[in-house]
Amino acid sequence: DYPMARVLSTAGIDILLVGDSLGMAVLGYKDTKAVNLEDMVRHSAAVVRGNAGNSLIVADMPIATTNNAAQAIVNCRLILDKTGADAVKIEGEPAVVEAVVSSGIAVMGHTGLKPQTAEKYGVVGKQLVDAENVFQEALALEKAGAFALVLECVPIDLADRITAAVKIPTIGIGAGVGCDGQVLVCNDMLGFNDNFKPKFLRQYLNLNDAIMKAAIAYRDDVLTGNFPNDLESYH
């Protein structure tokens, strides 16, 4: 959202990805599948308005908006035109990515765990066949013209192999330190959700407790007449 984008961009975060994970982190859905274009336009536009630094703004394309090349070009262009974002992110689909890039739109690729189509969440690429599929998709996404590549929940050795093989930056989430960059859901990293603690998450703050304490203190001050005091009142 706007205030989060303002803080993160001022802190020097290189890329702000408005992910469809906002479905769970912000909107309370059970997964990303309920997120639609309207949601992504609203939140991406807010992030663009809050970009106080030089962060690159990337908008996630929600499920069923890039099923084919023609549909993808229309929807990607709609999001960029309505929000002012710099690029979009598409899960898998190298042929679609190629068409969108050819239309003049910058695309960030995504392979490994793909939440929009995954039957279950977990590490992808432990088995030899699965690892080769992820590797080949990474190469195909680079060839399609993606400017960067998210590697989600893949073993370290596979992420390292992909990073060494492609010339575009890799951005890991649950993919080890060998990637060129890292991404975390900001609400998870800041400790908004006590119940979500995957192995790859490092929590840098416990905002859940901090906000709870502030809300309780505010409530108590109102109930006891301690807020507002004379200095906080007009005369």
Side-chain angles (χ1 to χ4, degrees):
D1 58 17
Y2 170 85
M4 190 70 77
R6 184 168 49 83
V7 171
L8 295 177
S9 61
T10 302
I13 301 298
D14 297 303
I15 301 174
L16 300 183
L17 168 62
V18 189
D20 59 4
S21 51
L22 68 86
M24 296 94 80
V26 177
L27 301 178
Y29 297 134
K30 66 177 182 178
D31 54 35
T32 67
K33 295 178 175 64
V35 176
N36 58 32
L37 272 174
E38 184 180 358
D39 296 323
M40 294 311 303
V41 166
R42 182 189 308 111
H43 286 271
S44 299
V47 169
V48 169
R49 290 192 293 271
N51 186 11
N54 295 311
S55 300
L56 184 79
I57 310 299
V58 181
D60 225 345
M61 295 305 297
I63 190 170
T65 60
T66 58
N67 288 338
N68 58 67
Q71 178 199 44
I73 292 169
V74 170
N75 287 332
C76 290
R77 177 56 59 193
L78 181 148
I79 279 192
L80 296 190
D81 287 348
K82 284 183 173 290
T83 67
D86 301 298
V88 297
K89 182 174 76 65
I90 297 174
E91 290 187 9
E93 303 295 345
V96 170
V97 170
E98 183 175 17
V100 174
V101 171
S102 295
S103 75
I105 296 172
V107 178
M108 176 181 285
H110 183 145
T111 189
L113 175 65
K114 294 176 284 190
Q116 292 178 3
T117 54
E119 295 181 1
K120 61 179 181 179
Y121 290 1
V123 179
V124 177
K126 282 189 173 182
Q127 303 301 318
L128 187 61
V129 173
D130 295 335
E132 188 60 25
N133 287 339
V134 173
F135 182 76
Q136 292 301 327
E137 184 168 66
L139 297 183
L141 287 167
E142 179 187 37
K143 186 177 180 181
F147 70 87
L149 189 59
V150 172
L151 305 179
E152 181 168 356
C153 289
V154 300
I156 291 176
D157 57 349
L158 176 57
D160 289 351
R161 182 185 171 205
I162 292 171
T163 301
V166 300
K167 294 181 175 63
I168 59 175
T170 59
I171 303 170
I173 177 166
V177 72
C179 296
D180 298 301
Q182 302 292 333
V183 61
L184 285 175
V185 175
C186 57
N187 285 20
D188 298 338
M189 181 265 286
L190 295 173
F192 267 112
N193 187 354
D194 292 337
N195 299 318
F196 185 68
K197 295 180 179 179
K199 183 177 183 178
F200 60 79
L201 174 62
R202 181 180 297 180
Q203 186 176 302
Y204 284 82
L205 192 64
N206 191 336
L207 272 185
N208 192 65
D209 283 357
I211 293 171
M212 183 74 71
K213 289 176 182 176
I216 290 172
Y218 167 71
R219 179 201 64 190
D220 291 347
D221 282 350
V222 171
L223 291 175
T224 59
N226 188 42
F227 176 79
N229 61 29
D230 192 61
L231 292 176
E232 294 158 337
S233 302
Y234 295 103
H235 296 280

